[in-house]
């Protein structure tokens, strides 16, 4: 009986240590696997990329891959992918292949993505950048200025509506009794 309890405790400790090792990643780590000879165009926020990726848990289990379908289109800054993957795609060029080791807080966090990704799981992505398109000046203006303009317009419009309603509520209303008195005096 003592032996079986001891084995159970030992197994639990071993599993706990193995999980700690898997999730020991605290910071985003990006390793360049392949870099093209010429890299004149480097990605930055707002750029659009087409990528192929393979995502794995730290034990090597594949959780998702785009290799059997069309490349994934990612617009940096739009949060279309997990934060760690988006951060790892800044500063790369078309044709480059990277390996990103992403800590849980930059992936799916404490909740994970059941049943595929457990909570507090660090992930590893191998990514190939198929194409890179930098944002135009018009896109930059729409992405940077338009949201600020909307933030300024909403309170302004609400203020104007409030002012209109205030003036309408406090406007002098013709009194029916006074109108009748004026008519009777005229006769």
């Amino acid at each position: 009986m003592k032996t079986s309890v001891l084995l159970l405790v030992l197994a639990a400790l071993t599993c706990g240590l193995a999980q700690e090792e898997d999730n020991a990643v605290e910071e985003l780590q990006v390793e360049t696997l392949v870099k093209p000879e010429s890299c004149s165009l480097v990605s930055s926020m707002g750029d659009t990329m087409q990528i192929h990726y393979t995502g794995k848990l730290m034990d090597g289990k594949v959780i998702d891959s785009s290799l059997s379908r069309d490349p994934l289109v990612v617009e940096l800054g739009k949060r279309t992918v997990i934060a760690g993957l988006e951060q790892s795609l800044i500063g790369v060029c078309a044709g480059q292949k990277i390996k990103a080791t992403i800590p849980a807080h930059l992936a799916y966090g404490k909740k994970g993505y059941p049943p595929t990704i457990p909570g507090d799981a660090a992930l590893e992505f191998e990514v190939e950048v198929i194409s890179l398109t930098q944002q135009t000046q018009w896109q930059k203006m729409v992405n940077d200025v338009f949201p600020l303009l909307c933030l300024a317009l909403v309170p302004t419009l609400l203020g104007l509506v409030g002012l209109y309603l205030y003036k309408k509520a406090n406007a002098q209303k013709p009194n029916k009794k006074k109108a009748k008195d004026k008519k009777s005096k005229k006769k």
Side-chain angles (χ1 to χ4, degrees):
M1 173 94 174
K2 287 183 179 180
T3 307
S4 60
V5 171
L6 183 62
L7 285 174
L8 265 164
V9 170
L10 186 59
L13 286 174
T14 305
C15 287
L17 290 174
Q19 281 185 336
E20 285 179 22
E21 288 174 15
D22 284 350
N23 298 326
V25 179
E26 295 296 324
E27 293 182 13
L28 177 65
Q29 300 167 8
V30 181
E31 175 186 345
T32 299
L33 302 175
V34 174
K35 190 164 186 172
E37 288 180 23
S38 67
C39 186
S40 59
L41 191 62
V42 177
S43 64
S44 61
M45 282 298 199
D47 293 347
T48 302
M49 313 172 87
Q50 288 189 2
I51 63 169
H52 269 303
Y53 66 91
T54 300
K56 303 176 186 176
L57 295 174
M58 295 309 287
D59 64 4
K61 180 182 174 191
V62 175
I63 55 170
D64 192 18
S65 179
S66 69
L67 296 176
S68 63
R69 49 187 194 258
D70 289 338
L72 177 67
V73 176
V74 177
E75 188 175 339
L76 297 176
K78 293 290 184 177
R79 298 181 180 167
T80 54
V81 294
I82 58 174
L85 183 56
E86 186 173 67
Q87 289 176 21
S88 69
L89 292 173
I90 296 172
V92 297
C93 55
Q96 188 168 343
K97 291 184 182 181
I98 61 169
K99 179 171 137 183
T101 306
I102 303 170
H105 70 276
L106 292 175
Y108 292 96
K110 293 188 182 298
K111 292 182 180 180
Y113 194 80
T116 314
I117 303 168
D120 284 328
L123 303 175
E124 186 176 275
F125 278 83
E126 288 187 20
V127 180
E128 178 182 6
V129 181
I130 305 299
S131 69
L132 169 64
T133 307
Q134 288 191 315
Q135 66 179 346
T136 64
Q137 289 300 327
W138 174 251
Q139 288 171 317
K140 186 170 180 60
M141 186 178 78
V142 168
N143 289 338
D144 295 345
V145 177
F146 189 68
L148 295 175
L149 185 62
C150 288
L151 283 175
L153 284 178
V154 169
T156 303
L157 289 173
L158 289 174
L160 289 173
V161 167
L163 182 63
Y164 170 77
L165 292 174
Y166 176 77
K167 285 185 176 184
K168 188 173 181 179
N170 290 328
Q172 291 289 333
K173 296 178 184 169
N175 194 340
K176 291 182 181 180
K177 198 173 198 181
K178 287 183 181 178
K180 285 183 181 180
D181 288 343
K182 286 182 182 179
K183 285 184 182 180
S184 61
K185 286 182 182 178
K186 285 184 182 179
K187 291 183 182 181

Short mmCIF file of all heavy atoms in Angstrom, two decimals, residues 4-44:
data_model
loop_
_atom_site.label_atom_id
_atom_site.label_comp_id
_atom_site.label_asym_id
_atom_site.label_seq_id
_atom_site.Cartn_x
_atom_site.Cartn_y
_atom_site.Cartn_z
N SER A 4 2.42 1.86 -3.43
CA SER A 4 1.53 2.41 -4.46
C SER A 4 1.27 3.90 -4.22
O SER A 4 1.18 4.69 -5.16
CB SER A 4 0.22 1.63 -4.51
OG SER A 4 -0.44 1.70 -3.27
N VAL A 5 1.14 4.31 -2.95
CA VAL A 5 0.96 5.73 -2.64
C VAL A 5 2.23 6.51 -3.03
O VAL A 5 2.15 7.59 -3.62
CB VAL A 5 0.64 5.92 -1.13
CG1 VAL A 5 0.67 7.39 -0.76
CG2 VAL A 5 -0.71 5.32 -0.81
N LEU A 6 3.38 5.95 -2.72
CA LEU A 6 4.64 6.58 -3.07
C LEU A 6 4.77 6.73 -4.58
O LEU A 6 5.21 7.77 -5.09
CB LEU A 6 5.82 5.78 -2.49
CG LEU A 6 7.21 6.38 -2.71
CD1 LEU A 6 7.30 7.74 -2.03
CD2 LEU A 6 8.28 5.45 -2.19
N LEU A 7 4.38 5.70 -5.33
CA LEU A 7 4.43 5.77 -6.80
C LEU A 7 3.47 6.82 -7.34
O LEU A 7 3.80 7.54 -8.30
CB LEU A 7 4.11 4.40 -7.41
CG LEU A 7 5.22 3.35 -7.29
CD1 LEU A 7 4.74 2.00 -7.80
CD2 LEU A 7 6.45 3.79 -8.06
N LEU A 8 2.28 6.91 -6.74
CA LEU A 8 1.32 7.93 -7.17
C LEU A 8 1.85 9.33 -6.95
O LEU A 8 1.74 10.21 -7.81
CB LEU A 8 0.00 7.77 -6.40
CG LEU A 8 -1.07 6.96 -7.11
CD1 LEU A 8 -2.16 6.54 -6.15
CD2 LEU A 8 -1.66 7.76 -8.23
N VAL A 9 2.43 9.58 -5.78
CA VAL A 9 3.00 10.89 -5.47
C VAL A 9 4.15 11.20 -6.42
O VAL A 9 4.27 12.31 -6.95
CB VAL A 9 3.45 10.95 -3.98
CG1 VAL A 9 4.25 12.21 -3.71
CG2 VAL A 9 2.26 10.86 -3.06
N LEU A 10 5.00 10.23 -6.68
CA LEU A 10 6.13 10.40 -7.58
C LEU A 10 5.65 10.71 -9.00
O LEU A 10 6.18 11.60 -9.67
CB LEU A 10 7.01 9.14 -7.58
CG LEU A 10 8.31 9.22 -8.36
CD1 LEU A 10 9.19 10.34 -7.81
CD2 LEU A 10 9.06 7.91 -8.29
N ALA A 11 4.61 10.01 -9.45
CA ALA A 11 4.06 10.25 -10.79
C ALA A 11 3.46 11.66 -10.88
O ALA A 11 3.64 12.36 -11.88
CB ALA A 11 3.00 9.20 -11.12
N ALA A 12 2.76 12.09 -9.84
CA ALA A 12 2.17 13.43 -9.83
C ALA A 12 3.25 14.50 -9.89
O ALA A 12 3.12 15.49 -10.63
CB ALA A 12 1.29 13.61 -8.61
N LEU A 13 4.30 14.32 -9.12
CA LEU A 13 5.40 15.29 -9.14
C LEU A 13 6.08 15.33 -10.49
O LEU A 13 6.43 16.39 -11.01
CB LEU A 13 6.42 14.96 -8.05
CG LEU A 13 6.00 15.28 -6.62
CD1 LEU A 13 7.04 14.76 -5.62
CD2 LEU A 13 5.80 16.77 -6.44
N THR A 14 6.28 14.17 -11.10
CA THR A 14 6.92 14.11 -12.41
C THR A 14 6.08 14.82 -13.45
O THR A 14 6.59 15.59 -14.27
CB THR A 14 7.15 12.64 -12.82
OG1 THR A 14 7.89 11.99 -11.80
CG2 THR A 14 7.90 12.55 -14.13
N CYS A 15 4.76 14.60 -13.43
CA CYS A 15 3.86 15.27 -14.38
C CYS A 15 3.89 16.78 -14.15
O CYS A 15 3.90 17.55 -15.10
CB CYS A 15 2.43 14.76 -14.24
SG CYS A 15 2.23 13.10 -14.90
N GLY A 16 3.89 17.20 -12.90
CA GLY A 16 3.92 18.63 -12.58
C GLY A 16 5.20 19.28 -13.08
O GLY A 16 5.18 20.37 -13.65
N LEU A 17 6.34 18.61 -12.91
CA LEU A 17 7.61 19.16 -13.39
C LEU A 17 7.63 19.20 -14.91
O LEU A 17 8.15 20.15 -15.50
CB LEU A 17 8.78 18.32 -12.87
CG LEU A 17 9.07 18.44 -11.37
CD1 LEU A 17 10.17 17.46 -10.97
CD2 LEU A 17 9.47 19.85 -11.02
N ALA A 18 7.07 18.19 -15.56
CA ALA A 18 7.04 18.17 -17.02
C ALA A 18 6.20 19.33 -17.55
O ALA A 18 6.55 19.98 -18.53
CB ALA A 18 6.49 16.85 -17.52
N GLN A 19 5.07 19.62 -16.90
CA GLN A 19 4.24 20.74 -17.33
C GLN A 19 4.95 22.06 -17.12
O GLN A 19 4.88 22.94 -17.95
CB GLN A 19 2.91 20.75 -16.57
CG GLN A 19 1.93 19.75 -17.09
CD GLN A 19 0.59 19.88 -16.38
OE1 GLN A 19 0.51 20.36 -15.26
NE2 GLN A 19 -0.45 19.43 -17.05
N GLU A 20 5.67 22.21 -16.02
CA GLU A 20 6.40 23.45 -15.77
C GLU A 20 7.45 23.66 -16.84
O GLU A 20 7.67 24.77 -17.30
CB GLU A 20 7.05 23.42 -14.38
CG GLU A 20 6.06 23.64 -13.26
CD GLU A 20 6.72 23.60 -11.90
OE1 GLU A 20 7.95 23.81 -11.82
OE2 GLU A 20 6.01 23.36 -10.92
N GLU A 21 8.14 22.59 -17.28
CA GLU A 21 9.15 22.73 -18.32
C GLU A 21 8.52 23.15 -19.63
O GLU A 21 9.06 23.96 -20.37
CB GLU A 21 9.91 21.41 -18.49
CG GLU A 21 10.85 21.10 -17.34
CD GLU A 21 11.48 19.72 -17.47
OE1 GLU A 21 11.41 19.14 -18.57
OE2 GLU A 21 12.04 19.24 -16.49
N ASP A 22 7.34 22.57 -19.96
CA ASP A 22 6.67 22.92 -21.21
C ASP A 22 6.27 24.38 -21.23
O ASP A 22 6.30 25.03 -22.26
CB ASP A 22 5.40 22.07 -21.39
CG ASP A 22 5.73 20.64 -21.82
OD1 ASP A 22 6.90 20.41 -22.16
OD2 ASP A 22 4.82 19.80 -21.82
N ASN A 23 5.86 24.91 -20.12
CA ASN A 23 5.34 26.28 -20.07
C ASN A 23 6.36 27.26 -19.52
O ASN A 23 6.00 28.33 -19.08
CB ASN A 23 4.06 26.30 -19.24
CG ASN A 23 2.98 25.44 -19.86
OD1 ASN A 23 2.89 25.35 -21.07
ND2 ASN A 23 2.19 24.79 -19.04
N ALA A 24 7.63 26.90 -19.52
CA ALA A 24 8.67 27.75 -18.95
C ALA A 24 8.95 28.97 -19.84
O ALA A 24 9.70 29.84 -19.44
CB ALA A 24 9.95 26.95 -18.75
N VAL A 25 8.37 29.03 -21.01
CA VAL A 25 8.60 30.15 -21.91
C VAL A 25 7.93 31.39 -21.32
O VAL A 25 6.73 31.41 -21.10
CB VAL A 25 8.02 29.84 -23.31
CG1 VAL A 25 8.23 31.02 -24.24
CG2 VAL A 25 8.65 28.60 -23.88
N GLU A 26 8.70 32.41 -21.04
CA GLU A 26 8.17 33.64 -20.45
C GLU A 26 8.13 34.80 -21.43
O GLU A 26 7.34 35.71 -21.29
CB GLU A 26 9.01 34.05 -19.23
CG GLU A 26 8.95 33.07 -18.08
CD GLU A 26 7.56 32.96 -17.47
OE1 GLU A 26 6.85 33.98 -17.40
OE2 GLU A 26 7.17 31.84 -17.09
N GLU A 27 9.03 34.76 -22.43
CA GLU A 27 9.11 35.85 -23.40
C GLU A 27 9.01 35.29 -24.82
O GLU A 27 9.35 34.14 -25.07
CB GLU A 27 10.45 36.58 -23.27
CG GLU A 27 10.60 37.34 -21.98
CD GLU A 27 11.92 38.09 -21.91
OE1 GLU A 27 12.59 38.22 -22.95
OE2 GLU A 27 12.27 38.54 -20.81
N LEU A 28 8.57 36.13 -25.73
CA LEU A 28 8.50 35.76 -27.13
C LEU A 28 9.92 35.57 -27.67
O LEU A 28 10.79 36.40 -27.45
CB LEU A 28 7.80 36.88 -27.92
CG LEU A 28 7.71 36.70 -29.43
CD1 LEU A 28 6.84 35.50 -29.78
CD2 LEU A 28 7.16 37.96 -30.06
N GLN A 29 10.12 34.43 -28.33
CA GLN A 29 11.43 34.14 -28.92
C GLN A 29 11.23 33.91 -30.41
O GLN A 29 10.40 33.09 -30.81
CB GLN A 29 12.04 32.89 -28.29
CG GLN A 29 12.26 33.03 -26.80
CD GLN A 29 12.56 31.70 -26.14
OE1 GLN A 29 12.76 30.69 -26.80
NE2 GLN A 29 12.60 31.70 -24.82
N VAL A 30 11.96 34.65 -31.23
CA VAL A 30 11.84 34.52 -32.68
C VAL A 30 13.20 34.15 -33.26
O VAL A 30 14.19 34.83 -33.02
CB VAL A 30 11.34 35.84 -33.32
CG1 VAL A 30 11.19 35.68 -34.83
CG2 VAL A 30 10.02 36.27 -32.71
N GLU A 31 13.20 33.05 -34.01
CA GLU A 31 14.43 32.55 -34.63
C GLU A 31 14.23 32.56 -36.13
O GLU A 31 13.21 32.08 -36.64
CB GLU A 31 14.68 31.12 -34.13
CG GLU A 31 15.84 30.42 -34.76
CD GLU A 31 15.92 28.96 -34.32
OE1 GLU A 31 15.26 28.57 -33.34
OE2 GLU A 31 16.64 28.22 -35.00
N THR A 32 15.18 33.11 -36.88
CA THR A 32 15.10 33.11 -38.34
C THR A 32 15.63 31.79 -38.86
O THR A 32 16.78 31.43 -38.57
CB THR A 32 15.90 34.28 -38.94
OG1 THR A 32 15.33 35.51 -38.44
CG2 THR A 32 15.84 34.28 -40.45
N LEU A 33 14.80 31.08 -39.61
CA LEU A 33 15.21 29.80 -40.18
C LEU A 33 15.77 29.99 -41.58
O LEU A 33 16.79 29.39 -41.94
CB LEU A 33 14.02 28.83 -40.23
CG LEU A 33 13.36 28.52 -38.89
CD1 LEU A 33 12.13 27.64 -39.09
CD2 LEU A 33 14.35 27.84 -37.94
N VAL A 34 15.11 30.83 -42.39
CA VAL A 34 15.55 31.12 -43.76
C VAL A 34 15.32 32.60 -44.00
O VAL A 34 14.25 33.13 -43.71
CB VAL A 34 14.74 30.30 -44.80
CG1 VAL A 34 15.11 30.72 -46.22
CG2 VAL A 34 14.92 28.82 -44.60
N LYS A 35 16.35 33.26 -44.53
CA LYS A 35 16.21 34.67 -44.88
C LYS A 35 16.65 34.83 -46.33
O LYS A 35 17.73 34.38 -46.70
CB LYS A 35 17.05 35.56 -43.96
CG LYS A 35 16.74 37.02 -44.13
CD LYS A 35 17.26 37.84 -42.98
CE LYS A 35 16.80 39.27 -43.13
NZ LYS A 35 17.10 40.05 -41.96
N PRO A 36 15.82 35.47 -47.16
CA PRO A 36 16.20 35.64 -48.57
C PRO A 36 17.42 36.53 -48.71
O PRO A 36 17.74 37.31 -47.82
CB PRO A 36 14.96 36.28 -49.20
CG PRO A 36 14.18 36.84 -48.08
CD PRO A 36 14.54 36.08 -46.85
N GLU A 37 18.09 36.39 -49.86
CA GLU A 37 19.31 37.17 -50.10
C GLU A 37 19.03 38.66 -50.08
O GLU A 37 19.79 39.43 -49.50
CB GLU A 37 19.94 36.77 -51.44
CG GLU A 37 20.58 35.40 -51.40
CD GLU A 37 21.20 35.03 -52.74
OE1 GLU A 37 21.53 35.93 -53.54
OE2 GLU A 37 21.36 33.82 -52.98
N SER A 38 17.95 39.08 -50.74
CA SER A 38 17.62 40.50 -50.72
C SER A 38 16.34 40.68 -49.91
O SER A 38 15.35 40.00 -50.13
CB SER A 38 17.43 41.05 -52.14
OG SER A 38 16.29 40.47 -52.73
N CYS A 39 16.42 41.60 -48.98
CA CYS A 39 15.28 41.87 -48.10
C CYS A 39 15.11 43.38 -48.02
O CYS A 39 15.43 44.00 -47.02
CB CYS A 39 15.55 41.25 -46.72
SG CYS A 39 14.16 41.38 -45.61
N SER A 40 14.60 43.97 -49.11
CA SER A 40 14.48 45.43 -49.17
C SER A 40 13.21 45.94 -48.50
O SER A 40 13.17 47.07 -48.03
CB SER A 40 14.53 45.90 -50.62
OG SER A 40 13.46 45.30 -51.34
N LEU A 41 12.18 45.10 -48.42
CA LEU A 41 10.89 45.50 -47.86
C LEU A 41 10.65 44.73 -46.57
O LEU A 41 10.51 43.51 -46.58
CB LEU A 41 9.78 45.21 -48.88
CG LEU A 41 8.41 45.77 -48.62
CD1 LEU A 41 8.44 47.29 -48.60
CD2 LEU A 41 7.46 45.29 -49.72
N VAL A 42 10.65 45.45 -45.44
CA VAL A 42 10.50 44.82 -44.13
C VAL A 42 9.13 45.20 -43.56
O VAL A 42 8.70 46.35 -43.67
CB VAL A 42 11.62 45.29 -43.17
CG1 VAL A 42 11.44 44.70 -41.79
CG2 VAL A 42 12.98 44.88 -43.72
N SER A 43 8.45 44.23 -42.95
CA SER A 43 7.09 44.45 -42.46
C SER A 43 7.04 45.38 -41.26
O SER A 43 7.96 45.41 -40.44
CB SER A 43 6.45 43.11 -42.10
OG SER A 43 7.14 42.51 -41.03
N SER A 44 5.93 46.13 -41.18
CA SER A 44 5.68 46.98 -40.02
C SER A 44 4.17 47.01 -39.81
O SER A 44 3.40 46.50 -40.62
CB SER A 44 6.24 48.39 -40.25
OG SER A 44 5.61 48.98 -41.36
#
